[in-house]
Amino acid sequence: MVSTQYFFAMNDSDALAMIGRLARIVTHDGHAAGLKPAQWEALRYLARANRFSRTPGALTAYLGATKGTVSQTLMALERAGLIRKSADPADRRSVRLELTEAALSLLPRDETLRFEAAMETMNEEERRALRIGLSALLSARIAADGGRPFGLCRECRHFREGERGPGKHLCGLLKEPLSDEDATHICVEHEAA
Amino acid sequence: MVSTQYFFAMNDSDALAMIGRLARIVTHDGHAAGLKPAQWEALRYLARANRFSRTPGALTAYLGATKGTVSQTLMALERAGLIRKSADPADRRSVRLELTEAALSLLPRDETLRFEAAMETMNEEERRALRIGLSALLSARIAADGGRPFGLCRECRHFREGERGPGKHLCGLLKEPLSDEDATHICVEHEAA
DNA sequence: CAATTATGTATCGAGTCGATACTAAAGGAA
DNA sequence: TTCCTTTAGTATCGACTCGATACATAATTG
């Protein structure tokens, strides 16, 4: 493998520098298709979030930004025809967000997908190391900041699998039914089991 | 360990999402001490770069940005008294960059240092995995983009160790003498051995 | 010596993003 | 019910980002 020839990360300081460089590349990738980095982040989030989590507030928590900033990004996306907003019938303060067809057809042009291509050139041991290392680092950092993990139902303490029959689950927190499809998306209310 | 409880990265797509979230945190950290993300990135780079690499051009290559953007960031840093510019006597188009005392005393306030604190809560296996995984990913991605690796002399094909005596090395490319201290900084001209 | 290439700056426009202030709806307590 | 507090989101400001384009100057190449 050529891949480990360039960088010799011997200590945490080197790892920190690599994290910075990685972040830079992601930001740079965010200028694809005439969008901005924050706009791509919002689209990616909405594509992965379950229906309870497709709101400006949840996106704000995910991004760690302020409400005002997220509001502006969402307005830009709405102007561009990439998201639709609708009122939440249960809570009229709240706004539901939905990707449009245009947004769905734009997702394959996400430049950060190039990282998946890069991973394909790595061997299985390196890929496994990446998953373990990133997972541990993110968990530690997000926990230290008091942020939300945004995980899947499968590892959530509120998940009650099959409580309404096969493939029909329940969220114990929101008291809402969950389909198999719901359970494969990330959730703003996620809490580790 | 709590750290691996939150995220279960099963595949490359999950790893990609983690990379995105990591990048977001780094960007957010970049608003410390009244500076902006791009300004912190420039300061961190200049603190790590050897004397051949402390130029606007090298910083542009490192950041993967355009010359104009980097020029503006550097002007903002100069106005803030964090960098000094000086003419390169050998090439009068080129500008040498130097951190001021104020910048050096600001470096400990870099919020991305919190990642080092997060790493300290990880066990040795996780840390090792992080280094290996990040290294492999960055190498692969940067190679795919045709970017420069910005490594250390030790792993550079131009490095001629001790050619001028003990602790006195030589860069075969630039034909310049290198001290031990020079060799511990990253270089824009780095090429893997 | 002319053409080309390289280094860096000037300017523009849409967007970012923290800060602050604001509106409106929900929820709780007396 | 009527306050009061909390929550969800928007409006506006100012400094900065960042790609794009155009430009000036210096080095290099033919």
Side-chain angles (χ1 to χ4, degrees):
Chain A
M1 299 297 294
V2 167
S3 52
T4 49
Q5 293 297 306
Y6 289 160
F7 300 100
F8 287 73
M10 307 307 286
N11 55 43
D12 289 354
S13 173
D14 292 335
L16 184 58
M18 292 196 295
I19 290 167
R21 200 144 184 221
L22 194 57
R24 194 92 253 297
I25 295 173
V26 172
T27 300
H28 191 260
D29 284 343
H31 288 275
L35 299 188
K36 300 288 176 177
Q39 299 175 350
W40 271 111
E41 282 157 3
L43 292 187
R44 284 193 287 264
Y45 171 79
L46 291 173
R48 286 175 54 86
N50 69 14
R51 58 199 158 92
F52 313 122
S53 310
R54 292 193 291 264
T55 69
L59 179 57
T60 299
Y62 185 81
L63 296 179
T66 60
K67 294 185 293 180
T69 299
V70 171
S71 181
Q72 278 192 302
T73 297
L74 291 174
M75 284 190 289
L77 288 175
E78 193 180 25
R79 277 199 302 277
L82 295 172
I83 63 169
R84 257 188 300 272
K85 295 180 179 178
S86 58
D88 182 332
D91 183 340
R92 288 193 301 162
R93 296 169 305 178
S94 196
V95 171
R96 302 267 129 205
L97 302 171
E98 192 186 1
L99 293 180
T100 63
E101 300 300 321
L104 293 174
S105 67
L106 205 60
L107 286 177
R109 294 176 57 191
D110 178 2
E111 285 286 311
T112 67
L113 292 171
R114 292 165 59 83
F115 278 109
E116 283 198 339
M119 286 183 226
E120 281 167 19
T121 73
M122 291 161 57
N123 63 42
E124 189 44 52
E125 186 200 338
E126 290 168 336
R127 297 226 285 254
R128 183 180 138 77
L130 183 66
R131 292 194 295 264
I132 292 172
L134 275 183
S135 180
L137 179 68
L138 258 188
S139 300
R141 180 61 205 269
I142 288 173
D145 295 356
R148 291 168 180 272
F150 280 88
L152 299 178
C153 292
R154 192 177 347 115
E155 297 100 23
C156 180
R157 55 188 288 260
H158 300 300
F159 189 50
R160 300 195 193 153
E161 187 165 7
E163 179 145 331
R164 300 282 172 89
K168 303 210 169 206
H169 322 295
L170 182 74
C171 174
L173 179 70
L174 303 174
K175 312 293 184 201
E176 287 276 345
L178 296 166
S179 67
D180 278 338
E181 208 262 345
D182 284 331
T184 63
H185 288 70
I186 60 176
C187 184
V188 63
E189 304 290 356
H190 180 94
E191 290 179 50
Chain B
M1 298 298 296
V2 168
S3 53
T4 49
Q5 292 298 308
Y6 288 160
F7 299 100
F8 288 73
M10 306 307 286
N11 54 43
D12 290 354
S13 173
D14 293 335
L16 184 59
M18 293 196 294
I19 290 167
R21 200 143 184 221
L22 194 58
R24 193 94 256 295
I25 296 173
V26 172
T27 301
H28 191 260
D29 284 345
H31 289 274
L35 298 189
K36 300 288 174 175
Q39 297 175 351
W40 271 112
E41 283 158 2
L43 291 187
R44 284 193 288 265
Y45 172 79
L46 291 174
R48 288 175 54 86
N50 69 14
R51 59 199 157 89
F52 314 122
S53 309
R54 293 193 289 265
T55 70
L59 178 56
T60 299
Y62 185 80
L63 296 179
T66 61
K67 294 183 296 179
T69 298
V70 171
S71 181
Q72 277 192 302
T73 296
L74 291 173
M75 284 190 289
L77 288 175
E78 192 179 26
R79 276 198 304 277
L82 295 173
I83 64 169
R84 258 188 300 273
K85 295 180 179 178
S86 58
D88 182 330
D91 184 338
R92 289 192 300 163
R93 295 170 307 181
S94 195
V95 171
R96 301 267 129 204
L97 303 171
E98 193 185 1
L99 293 180
T100 63
E101 299 300 320
L104 293 174
S105 66
L106 205 59
L107 286 178
R109 294 177 58 192
D110 178 1
E111 285 286 312
T112 66
L113 292 171
R114 292 164 60 83
F115 279 110
E116 283 197 337
M119 286 182 225
E120 281 167 19
T121 73
M122 292 162 56
N123 63 42
E124 188 45 51
E125 187 201 338
E126 289 168 337
R127 297 226 283 255
R128 185 181 137 75
L130 183 66
R131 291 194 294 267
I132 292 172
L134 275 182
S135 180
L137 179 67
L138 258 187
S139 300
R141 179 63 205 265
I142 289 174
D145 295 356
R148 291 168 179 273
F150 279 89
L152 300 176
C153 292
R154 194 178 344 115
E155 298 100 22
C156 179
R157 55 188 290 257
H158 301 301
F159 190 50
R160 300 194 193 155
E161 188 166 6
E163 179 145 331
R164 299 281 174 89
K168 303 211 169 206
H169 322 295
L170 182 74
C171 175
L173 179 70
L174 303 173
K175 312 294 185 200
E176 286 277 341
L178 296 167
S179 67
D180 278 337
E181 208 264 344
D182 282 333
T184 63
H185 287 70
I186 60 176
C187 184
V188 64
E189 304 290 357
H190 180 95
E191 291 179 50

